[in-house]
Amino acid sequence: MDKVSAIWRTELWHPLSVHYPIAFLILSTILGILIFILGNRHNFETRLRFTMSLLLWSGTLLLWLAFYTGKLAYSVEVRRICDPFVLKNHLYWANVTSFVFSAATITDVLQKIAAIKINKLLVLVTVILMIAGSICLGYTGHLGASLVYEQGAGVHQPASDCSDYK
Amino acid sequence: MKKLILTAAFAAFSLVAFQACNNSGSSSAEVENTDVVPSGTYNGTADKVDPDEKEVYVKTSDGKMLELYFTEQTKLTQNGQTATFDALKEGQNLEVTVEKKGNRLEPMAVNIMQ
C-alpha cells in the first residue's frame, strides 16, 4: 500500500473539510438561541453577536466547500459502496442544509443593513433558519456516518491476506 | 470598513447562489426512481449518458430504469470491438450485463447494439 498517495485520495478531501462547518454552524446556532432567549441581559447580545455572525458566515462558506468536496467523493464512492441510495440521500440533505444556512446568513447580513424596527423579526427568522439548518445538518451527518461506519466509504480495505499492506 | 465587509459578504453569497443554480441545471442531474434488478443480462436503450460521471441510465424493455456507473472492470464493446465511453450516445440500444452488489448494480459488460 502506497501510504503517501493514500493521503491524497480525492474522497478523503471531504472528511478533511466537512467537520469545520459542522462545528462552526452548530456553535453559531447555540449562540443564536442564547442571544434570542437572553436578549441583551448583561450585554450578552452585544458581546456575542459578532461571534455568532462570524461563525455563521464562515461556517456557511465552508459548508459549500464541503459540499463541493462531497461531490468529488460521490463520484468515487458511488462505485463501491453497498447502498448508493444512502449516498444520494446524504447528498440531497447536504444540499438542503447548505441552502437553509445560506438563507440564514442572508437574513443575518440583512440585519446589519435593515432598520431597527424589523431587526427583531430578522433575528427570529435567522434563529429559526439556523435551528432548521442544524436539524438538517444532524440528519446529513447521520447519513454520512452510516456511509463511513456501515459501508466503509473512504476507508481503504486491504486484501483478506493483507498482501497489499507493507 | 463595515460597507466593505457587507459588500464582500453579498459578493460571496451571490457567487454561491450562482454556483448552486448552475449545479441544479447541469447535465449531470440525477434521474430519480431508479431500479435494482438481480444479476444478469438485460436489453434496453440508453436513456441518459453522463460522460463526466461515466454513468449511463438504461431503460430496459420491461420498463426498469438501471443506473450504471462504469468501473475499471466494465467492458464496453461495439461491433465486437472494444469501445471507449465516448461511443455511448442517448437512444442507442444496449445489452448490459450487471452484477448486483448490495443495492448497487455494477456493469460488467455493455454492448452497443446499433
Side-chain angles (χ1 to χ4, degrees):
Chain A
M1 187 172 71
D2 186 346
K3 287 182 179 174
V4 174
S5 66
I7 293 171
W8 298 110
R9 284 186 293 149
T10 307
E11 68 270 29
L12 296 188
W13 298 350
H14 184 56
L16 191 69
S17 60
V18 79
H19 295 99
Y20 293 101
I22 291 173
F24 284 20
L25 293 170
I26 295 288
L27 194 54
S28 73
T29 304
I30 292 169
L31 288 180
I33 293 168
L34 287 175
I35 287 167
F36 189 74
I37 292 171
L38 299 176
N40 209 19
R41 247 176 273 168
H42 311 294
N43 282 334
F44 199 82
E45 186 171 356
T46 311
R47 288 176 182 177
L48 292 181
R49 189 61 182 277
F50 176 76
T51 309
M52 187 207 83
S53 294
L54 186 66
L55 287 170
L56 178 61
W57 297 9
S58 55
T60 303
L61 282 174
L62 288 169
L63 187 61
W64 281 107
L65 177 69
F67 186 79
Y68 174 70
T69 59
K71 289 279 281 182
L72 296 177
Y74 177 94
S75 298
V76 176
E77 296 304 330
V78 76
R79 288 170 165 81
R80 55 187 216 103
I81 59 168
C82 298
D83 192 348
F85 296 105
V86 179
L87 186 58
K88 286 171 191 289
N89 267 341
H90 178 60
L91 184 66
Y92 172 80
W93 282 103
N95 204 7
V96 171
T97 305
S98 302
F99 274 108
V100 173
F101 271 114
S102 295
T105 307
I106 288 166
T107 57
D108 191 54
V109 171
L110 285 174
Q111 279 178 65
K112 315 289 181 198
I113 306 166
I116 294 168
K117 281 182 182 175
I118 58 166
N119 209 356
K120 277 283 177 191
L121 178 66
L122 279 174
V123 172
L124 177 65
V125 171
T126 304
V127 171
I128 288 171
L129 283 170
M130 285 200 297
I131 292 169
S134 293
I135 292 167
C136 295
L137 186 64
Y139 186 60
T140 307
H142 164 72
L143 292 170
S146 170
L147 288 167
V148 173
Y149 296 112
E150 289 180 352
Q151 301 190 52
V155 176
H156 173 76
Q157 293 168 336
S160 56
D161 60 354
C162 295
S163 58
D164 57 343
Y165 190 84
K166 293 171 186 170
Chain B
M1 184 64 183
K2 193 178 175 183
K3 279 185 180 175
L4 182 68
I5 292 169
L6 289 172
T7 307
F10 267 124
F13 284 101
S14 301
L15 190 67
V16 165
F18 174 77
Q19 183 61 31
C21 293
N22 195 32
N23 273 347
S24 63
S26 76
S27 63
S28 61
E30 294 282 324
V31 172
E32 302 291 334
N33 302 323
T34 54
D35 298 291
V36 179
V37 294
S39 300
T41 301
Y42 298 86
N43 287 309
T45 51
D47 192 69
K48 189 166 186 283
V49 178
D50 186 349
D52 295 336
E53 284 284 353
K54 277 198 156 188
E55 176 192 19
V56 61
Y57 290 89
V58 179
K59 184 119 181 173
T60 63
S61 46
D62 58 349
K64 299 267 173 64
M65 182 67 83
L66 312 184
E67 184 180 20
L68 306 176
Y69 286 91
F70 277 46
T71 67
E72 288 176 1
Q73 280 73 45
T74 307
K75 288 178 182 167
L76 178 64
T77 53
Q78 186 174 26
N79 301 324
Q81 304 282 316
T82 302
T84 59
F85 194 87
D86 301 337
L88 269 176
K89 306 285 179 220
E90 287 170 13
Q92 286 174 327
N93 289 323
L94 305 176
E95 182 185 70
V96 296
T97 302
V98 297
E99 197 172 310
K100 183 174 178 283
K101 294 181 174 177
N103 278 332
R104 176 170 57 88
L105 291 177
E106 186 161 325
M108 306 310 291
V110 175
N111 183 24
I112 301 170
M113 306 289 282
Q114 63 177 50

